Amino acid sequence: MSSTTTATTGADTRPARYGLGVLAGALHRWLALIVVVVLWELGTRAAKSVFFPPPSKIVKQMYHLWFSGPVSHLFLTSTATDNILPSLARMAIGLAAATVVGVALGLLLGRSDRMFAYLDPLFQFFRVIPPPTLAPVFVVLFTFGTPMQLASIIFSAIWPILLNTADGARSVDQLQLATARVFRLSATTRLFKIILPSTMPKVFAGLRLSLSLALILMVFSELLPGTTNGIGYMMNDAQSRSDLPTVWASIVLLGILGYVLNMMLLAVERRSLAWHRSARRTEST
């Protein structure tokens, strides 16, 4: 009787403990941010500076600018759909193009020692050039507008993906490739069954770097003349009107977007590379 009661009590308390553990973990994770926001609120209210509005005012401005729309538009206002969505679309297209080209060139570069020896110094040279310094070149080649913005994003985002993919392709287990040749597997089968899966951890490492670069270049390209929409355009327009709450709201929005996009990429990475972590745990044991 007592053993049954003990088992029942343990089963009843386990979900409660689990819930408290999740709550404690979330609080521990967000504690630093909560403290910073509280200090920011108290400090800006005490200083009463027009240049540094309190977070509560920034959040209120974000709500009225972008998230006070009708339910049929997912609460997005026309300002949000006309500026935030085009920015995200440009960043997504630029990052997707950089991923496709970077992975393809990286695989070719990594699997050919001669090509790697010839082209790696050239790629390293272009990699260290700050993309904003090439804005005049992009303007001449593509003129102002979306083509120039996409070129800026692609040029900045392609190098981490390309070089990490090349490094991953060069480090593929040679024993696996030799075994595949013994079994007369085709080059296409070796690529999709051995080389590409072995390279994926490096590809995702490059993608994480490229994501932040794409977000930065998205904003920078929208600050240039000839832009008619976008988050960077909103910031530039608000600054010209001395609308500092909107400038700060745009900065906070960019931080939130960067965090959310990074979390989404990490979720995709964890799901896509679950086999990789299982294989490493098996090897370690």
Side-chain angles (χ1 to χ4, degrees):
M1 179 68 179
S2 60
S3 60
T4 304
T5 304
T6 303
T8 304
T9 304
D12 292 339
T13 58
R14 192 178 298 117
R17 291 177 180 176
Y18 178 76
L20 291 175
V22 172
L23 182 61
L27 182 62
H28 178 74
R29 183 174 184 178
W30 293 95
L31 181 61
L33 179 61
I34 294 172
V35 171
V36 169
V37 171
V38 170
L39 293 177
W40 183 4
E41 179 78 22
L42 296 176
T44 50
R45 286 190 177 277
K48 297 180 180 180
S49 173
V50 296
F51 299 103
F52 298 97
S56 56
K57 186 174 182 179
I58 295 173
V59 171
K60 184 178 180 181
Q61 183 75 354
M62 293 174 67
Y63 171 77
H64 287 298
L65 274 177
W66 304 314
F67 306 116
S68 58
V71 178
S72 58
H73 289 77
L74 301 178
F75 300 102
L76 294 176
T77 64
S78 59
T79 304
T81 56
D82 292 343
N83 292 279
I84 298 176
L85 297 185
S87 288
L88 293 177
R90 281 190 286 263
M91 190 188 74
I93 294 172
L95 186 60
T99 301
V100 172
V101 177
V103 170
L105 290 179
L107 289 173
L108 290 175
L109 189 66
R111 297 312 303 164
S112 173
D113 292 335
R114 179 173 296 182
M115 185 179 295
F116 184 86
Y118 282 133
L119 296 181
D120 183 62
L122 182 64
F123 289 154
Q124 294 292 346
F125 172 80
F126 282 113
R127 180 181 67 86
V128 298
I129 298 177
T133 62
L134 293 177
V137 178
F138 291 145
V139 169
V140 172
L141 294 176
F142 303 102
T143 69
F144 286 114
T146 300
M148 185 273 293
Q149 293 164 349
L150 290 177
S152 301
I153 295 171
I154 293 171
F155 183 85
S156 67
I158 193 172
W159 305 116
I161 299 172
L162 190 155
L163 296 175
N164 275 275
T165 302
D167 183 54
R170 287 171 60 84
S171 60
V172 176
D173 189 353
Q174 297 300 317
L175 180 60
Q176 293 183 4
L177 293 175
T179 304
R181 294 190 187 97
V182 169
F183 283 96
R184 300 182 182 278
L185 297 182
S186 65
T188 303
T189 302
R190 293 199 302 270
L191 173 64
F192 287 101
K193 296 296 184 180
I194 299 176
I195 298 174
L196 194 55
S198 300
T199 309
M200 288 307 294
K202 289 284 188 177
V203 172
F204 275 105
L207 271 172
R208 288 197 299 271
L209 295 173
S210 295
L211 178 63
S212 60
L213 290 173
L215 186 63
I216 293 170
L217 264 296
M218 175 198 76
V219 177
F220 171 78
S221 64
E222 293 171 351
L223 294 174
L224 297 176
T227 304
T228 58
N229 57 26
I231 300 174
Y233 171 79
M234 280 193 304
M235 292 179 63
N236 199 23
D237 178 66
Q239 185 178 9
S240 66
R241 294 183 288 102
S242 298
D243 185 3
L244 294 178
T246 298
V247 174
W248 279 101
S250 301
I251 294 173
V252 172
L253 176 65
L254 288 172
I256 295 173
L257 287 176
Y259 179 82
V260 171
L261 292 173
N262 186 64
M263 289 297 101
M264 291 172 60
L265 181 59
L266 287 175
V268 173
E269 179 181 358
R270 284 194 296 266
R271 188 174 183 85
S272 302
L273 299 181
W275 62 270
H276 178 70
R277 292 193 298 273
S278 299
R280 293 186 64 178
R281 284 196 296 266
T282 302
E283 291 177 0
S284 61
T285 55

